[in-house]
Amino acid sequence: MTNYQNYINGEWKSSEKEITISSPIDGEVLGTIPAMTQEEVDVAMEKARKALPAWRALSAVERASYLHRVADILERDQEKIGEILAKEVAKGIKAAIGEVVRTADLIRYAAEEGIRIHGQVMEGGGFEAASKKKLAMVRREPMGVVLAIAPFNYPVNLSASKIAPALIGGNVVLFKPPTQGSISGLLLAQAFAESGLPAGVFNTITGRGSEIGDYIIEHKEVNFINFTGSTPIGERIGKLAGMRPIMLELGGKDAALVLEDADLEHAAKQIVGGAYSYSGQRCTAIKRVLVMESVADKLASLIQAEVEKLTVGHPFDNADITPVIDHHSADFIWGLIEDAKAKGATALTPLKREGNLIWPALFDHVTLDMDLAWEEPFGPVLPIIRITSEEEGIAICNQSEFGLQSSVFTNDFPKAFEIAEKLEVGTVHINNKTQRGPDNFPFLGVKGSGAGVQGIRYSIEAMTQVKSIVFDIK
Ligand code: NAP
Ligand code: G3H
């Protein structure tokens, strides 16, 4: 069994206490990770702070060269990392390897984008005559020490999407992977270590969020917190962060709004792909269908037919539906299914569970008194809610505490744009499933779904701050 270590100031370190990581697939023990103490966290923070001046003094091109090396290493090790990732978070092996490759691409893009972020020179003169002689040199500087915290569902990709833009912007990084996902996160760290980054520029912190989370968030050395995870933890971070800038990418309840004139076959395929991939454990999964009553029977049966094609089983067989992350999560999902059933929703699929493996569940005639209409299941269950007008659909979408994304299915483009304007979400996809990528696009949630904008260039901008130097030209 491997005892994985943390990477701190250019060295691999263990801690006295360890956490055993087992696979959600079959309980296989995958290794141990350190449960860092507060004193060990202090050392990591201090070393990061010490590394900052030399790192920020490098040119962006020099910093980019390290990132290109990391990307090459990930590409080289895609199968090794993908295999562990698949076991650690029960993700289909093809998708797990795909996550590593997507991460290499994202890192390369961040390196390239970072070298093209330029300052600007501004002239006064738009105001009183005397301001004409004033010139401002506006440049971007790093924030300093960035704390990057990632969720279990993309332990490599949603870690690198914070780390790479932070580093190219001249920041130093402390990376806390999700506990279930830490081994994958530490394999990502190995790529950063092998790239030859100067000591202290990139460091890892492992341990349970419930034990060390508050401590690292409140740590005086941290200048910027970049977090992806659940809304309750994000809200807590928001409170504890004080005046420090943060980026929060949180939960969602993305709706697919299907109008009468939509291509229903196409919509059904997109909806099922969007709702059930990685067993629904994606922030951007379609988590409710709002369909016009007149086409609801047809759409429901088309979705049902697509769901029946999904395979259930083992990630290494590339099954569509695999065990969810843990029993606690499975209990929560099952509770939503039972509530919907008890309140009269029509199950269009057999309702079946074995441990943390839940068969894809589809409900029609879901009503607004059911928890499934509002809660984020983070599992393979999809409610269909019937609506009688577009206005009703928009109102139900906007009634959600979340505001990540929405899909609109219609062939009437002006109408799609009109609806998109009214939806309180960060992104609207027209005739397509909700999704984060491409990774250079802005990605954000409003309301309970987050604060700040991700996406490679947006992330670099968020983790750098403007400094203006003003002088008179005569
Ligand atoms: P989570 O339980 O909120 O955990 C996310 C991360 O926060 C983990 O690294 C966790 O560490 C850490 N954490 C826990 N308590 C903390 C605290 N008090 N202070 C600081 N960090 C703490 O979320 P998850 O279950 O991993 O992920 C699922 C959720 O994330 C869903 O709601 C999903 O929608 C959301 N998500 C959102 C996006 C997006 O971009 N909008 C993307 C992916 C996922 P431990 O693992 O040690 O507890
Ligand atoms: O889980 C949240 C991720 O940001 C979703 O990314 O849409 O590429 O699966 P994805």
Side-chain angles (χ1 to χ4, degrees), residues 102 151 153-154 157-158 228 277 281-285 378 404-405 434-437 439 443 454:
R102 176 181 180 180
N153 65 335
Y154 277 96
N157 186 268
L158 282 172
T228 300
S277 65
Q281 297 172 113
R282 294 164 53 244
C283 58
T284 48
F378 230 56
L404 192 56
Q405 300 199 337
T434 45
Q435 57 198 292
R436 171 164 47 116
D439 291 328
F443 180 60
Q454 270 194 86

Side-chain angles (χ1 to χ4, degrees), residues 293-316:
E293 182 67 60
S294 57
V295 292
D297 285 345
K298 174 132 192 249
L299 183 74
S301 72
L302 286 166
I303 295 178
Q304 182 184 15
E306 289 298 318
V307 173
E308 281 165 2
K309 292 182 200 160
L310 297 174
T311 55
V312 180
H314 203 285
F316 283 78

Side-chain angles (χ1 to χ4, degrees), residues 26-354:
D26 52 9
E28 178 193 350
V29 173
L30 302 175
T32 68
I33 52 133
M36 278 175 77
T37 61
Q38 294 185 354
E39 292 70 30
E40 289 166 337
V41 167
D42 289 345
V43 172
M45 296 274 181
E46 183 203 318
K47 298 296 181 189
R49 172 68 60 194
K50 270 209 180 113
L52 178 62
W55 180 248
R56 62 177 285 170
L58 292 183
S59 71
V61 173
E62 287 169 302
R63 291 196 293 265
S65 67
Y66 291 101
L67 293 184
H68 281 295
R69 248 172 271 154
V70 175
D72 292 345
I73 295 162
L74 290 178
E75 213 150 65
R76 182 195 71 198
D77 293 348
Q78 56 181 272
E79 292 194 356
K80 181 184 108 187
I81 302 173
E83 198 169 309
I84 290 279
L85 198 162
K87 286 186 181 174
E88 196 178 12
V89 299
K91 185 173 276 194
I93 180 69
K94 202 167 147 218
I97 293 173
E99 178 176 338
V100 181
V101 175
R102 176 181 180 180
T103 304
D105 292 343
L106 184 155
I107 292 174
R108 282 200 191 98
Y109 198 108
E112 291 300 314
E113 195 72 359
I115 62 180
R116 295 196 172 88
I117 292 208
H118 303 294
Q120 67 179 141
V121 170
M122 293 180 73
E123 296 176 72
F127 295 90
E128 74 279 20
S131 74
K132 251 182 102 174
K133 64 179 184 179
K134 292 210 171 288
L135 211 59
M137 201 168 72
V138 184
R139 302 166 77 197
R140 297 202 83 88
E141 292 190 340
M143 290 286 182
V145 175
V146 168
L147 175 62
I149 305 180
F152 79 83
N153 65 335
Y154 277 96
V156 170
N157 186 268
L158 282 172
S159 305
S161 67
K162 300 165 178 55
I163 298 164
L167 291 178
I168 193 68
N171 301 283
V172 294
V173 171
L174 287 132
F175 161 48
K176 188 227 166 297
T179 295
Q180 190 72 39
S182 283
I183 298 180
S184 307
L186 291 174
L187 294 181
L188 172 70
Q190 282 178 11
F192 280 94
E194 194 186 327
S195 76
L197 274 176
V201 167
F202 169 79
N203 311 273
T204 60
I205 294 175
T206 55
R208 294 205 184 278
S210 52
E211 288 167 20
I212 56 160
D214 288 1
Y215 189 73
I216 58 177
I217 294 297
E218 291 188 299
H219 205 285
K220 65 175 177 19
E221 292 293 359
V222 172
N223 302 116
F224 187 97
I225 302 157
N226 194 332
F227 173 84
T228 300
S230 62
T231 298
I233 302 288
E235 281 172 347
R236 179 165 184 80
I237 290 173
K239 284 186 191 128
L240 295 181
M243 297 277 286
R244 285 166 308 163
I246 53 178
M247 169 116 77
L248 301 175
E249 296 295 348
L250 310 176
K253 186 73 180 170
D254 294 0
L257 188 51
V258 185
L259 306 190
E260 281 156 327
D261 69 336
D263 175 341
L264 297 181
E265 279 85 8
H266 171 75
K269 283 194 169 69
Q270 289 293 320
I271 286 168
V272 171
Y276 295 95
S277 65
Y278 189 35
S279 309
Q281 297 172 113
R282 294 164 53 244
C283 58
T284 48
I286 291 181
K287 293 174 182 141
R288 47 191 173 145
V289 176
L290 304 175
V291 57
M292 292 292 282
E293 182 67 60
S294 57
V295 292
D297 285 345
K298 174 132 192 249
L299 183 74
S301 72
L302 286 166
I303 295 178
Q304 182 184 15
E306 289 298 318
V307 173
E308 281 165 2
K309 292 182 200 160
L310 297 174
T311 55
V312 180
H314 203 285
F316 283 78
D317 295 332
N318 281 311
D320 298 308
I321 304 294
T322 52
V324 296
I325 196 69
D326 55 29
H327 286 269
H328 175 74
S329 176
D331 288 346
F332 178 72
I333 299 160
W334 198 250
L336 294 176
I337 289 175
E338 296 209 306
D339 178 73
K341 198 172 83 178
K343 289 182 179 152
T346 312
L348 299 182
T349 51
L351 304 177
K352 187 172 165 194
R353 171 185 177 183
E354 278 172 17

